[in-house]
Amino acid sequence: MDSRVIEIRKHLKKKLDPMRFEHTLGVSYTCQALAMRYGYDLDKAELAGLLHDCAKRYDRPTMRDPSLLHAKLGAWMAREKYGVDDEEILSAIACHTTGKTDMGMLDKILYVADYIEPRRYKAADLPRMRKLAFEDLDRACLAIME
């Protein structure tokens, strides 16, 4: 486990509303599960999931479109506030809402985990997406994007 995880969790619990914090924990857990399935670094997946919505504490008056801008701001905050200098983690946070061309493994893991995490219930076709995520990560990304 990355030594920063416990402190980051404590900090986010204070800064995020309770439902957002629970979502964050669910995404972090799901990132780790997908990382196990696809042979990716568990610590990096956990940290990306934990920080993916760190900028969601800012509302509409602060950010013009929080639903999209929080990803870019979150990547900046992960670097500047939480000391993350791993480019794979920062990339995954920055593109977790929109995706991007040539997504790397962690980009895909976080993108999918944010959609299928256990507390998510409004996203389209969740049972199929959850199954597909553990069968073929690329197909899951494409299906979610569609």
Side-chain angles (χ1 to χ4, degrees), residues 42-72:
L42 295 175
D43 290 338
K44 288 169 78 163
E46 179 181 29
L47 196 53
L50 195 57
L51 289 172
H52 85 284
D53 273 354
C54 66
K56 275 276 186 150
R57 66 192 215 206
Y58 299 108
D59 56 10
R60 190 163 296 282
T62 308
M63 286 192 292
R64 196 167 296 181
D65 187 352
S67 64
L68 293 177
L69 294 178
H70 81 277
K72 304 292 189 237

Side-chain angles (χ1 to χ4, degrees), residues 107-121:
D107 296 327
K108 295 173 194 175
I109 286 172
L110 181 55
Y111 182 81
V112 170
D114 190 34
Y115 193 88
I116 68 164
E117 66 97 357
R119 298 208 189 285
R120 182 78 74 183
Y121 63 94

Side-chain angles (χ1 to χ4, degrees), residues 1-109:
M1 178 194 297
D2 188 305
S3 61
R4 300 171 286 188
V5 165
I6 300 299
E7 287 306 311
I8 291 171
R9 274 191 204 152
K10 286 179 189 175
H11 188 261
L12 290 174
K13 188 171 186 173
K14 290 181 207 168
K15 296 294 183 180
L16 300 175
D17 73 62
M19 288 307 294
R20 177 67 49 201
F21 182 68
E22 289 300 317
H23 165 72
T24 293
L25 295 180
V27 171
S28 186
Y29 169 82
T30 305
C31 281
Q32 289 180 295
L34 289 168
M36 282 188 267
R37 162 61 180 93
Y38 293 104
Y40 190 78
D41 185 297
L42 295 175
D43 290 338
K44 288 169 78 163
E46 179 181 29
L47 196 53
L50 195 57
L51 289 172
H52 85 284
D53 273 354
C54 66
K56 275 276 186 150
R57 66 192 215 206
Y58 299 108
D59 56 10
R60 190 163 296 282
T62 308
M63 286 192 292
R64 196 167 296 181
D65 187 352
S67 64
L68 293 177
L69 294 178
H70 81 277
K72 304 292 189 237
L73 179 58
W76 180 86
M77 287 177 67
R79 180 186 300 278
E80 299 301 319
K81 185 170 184 70
Y82 296 100
V84 174
D85 59 3
D86 186 298
E87 292 301 323
E88 285 182 287
I89 294 172
L90 298 171
S91 171
I93 294 169
C95 75
H96 83 269
T97 56
T98 59
K100 68 177 188 178
T101 57
D102 297 321
M103 290 171 73
M105 179 63 75
L106 187 56
D107 296 327
K108 295 173 194 175
I109 286 172

